[in-house]
Amino acid sequence: MALQILEKEKYGYLNFDDERLTGFTSEDFNKVLEAFYEFDSDLDYFIFDEIQNIKNWELFTNRLRRTKKIIVTGSNAHILSGELATHLTGRHINFTLYPFSFKEFLKFQKIEFQNKDFYSTKKISQIKKHLNNYIAVGGFPEAYKFGKAIVG
């Protein structure tokens, strides 16, 4: 989701939930920065997904945040716990991202309805069709962006 937020920004992204990064240690973080800067030396943001998989990641992000904006995302209890605030010593903004509501789903799909549409049999049928799709696939944006294969 962070990638959607930064659509027009210059950023580097790394997902630590990748088997190719097995063995990655805190000493390797500088190599990541070098690789990012080889591609673009003018990055404004760094996004690290599932960074809690790397020991001492907090030290790296605290160092980097002095000059760059950092987004740390994760999905396990460790990153969601109060420990995150302790590790980042109050230098964080925490927010939870939820799946689309049906209204947000319609907006994402660029589907517009007006109040008067609820008096039209044709429009009601279209709304029901979209609702059935929403119920079947769910409200996760990736499912609509990348197709049904992502929802398993």
Side-chain angles (χ1 to χ4, degrees), residues 32-109:
V32 168
L33 286 181
E34 289 174 15
F36 281 147
Y37 287 138
E38 282 181 27
F39 287 109
D40 189 341
S41 61
D42 194 30
L43 298 174
D44 298 316
Y45 290 85
F46 290 96
I47 304 168
F48 301 110
D49 196 10
E50 305 295 346
I51 197 170
Q52 77 280 354
N53 293 337
I54 310 301
K55 189 176 179 180
N56 294 325
W57 64 269
E58 309 89 350
L59 299 172
F60 169 72
T61 55
N62 276 331
R63 173 173 59 97
L64 191 57
R65 70 150 187 88
R66 292 182 184 117
T67 58
K68 299 293 178 186
K69 295 174 185 162
I70 309 295
I71 297 175
V72 174
T73 63
S75 57
N76 74 14
H78 175 75
I79 198 101
L80 297 174
S81 72
E83 291 180 44
L84 181 62
T86 302
H87 290 305
L88 298 179
T89 59
R91 299 177 194 102
H92 75 285
I93 299 171
N94 207 15
F95 70 92
T96 304
L97 189 61
Y98 295 100
F100 286 145
S101 68
F102 183 57
K103 183 177 180 179
E104 292 167 329
F105 160 77
L106 292 174
K107 185 176 180 180
F108 180 79
Q109 297 286 20

Side-chain angles (χ1 to χ4, degrees), residues 5-23:
I5 295 169
L6 298 177
E7 199 170 284
K8 295 180 178 135
E9 303 290 341
K10 295 176 118 185
Y11 63 87
Y13 170 83
L14 184 58
N15 185 343
F16 288 97
D17 202 16
D18 186 323
E19 81 284 354
R20 294 172 292 182
L21 294 174
T22 301

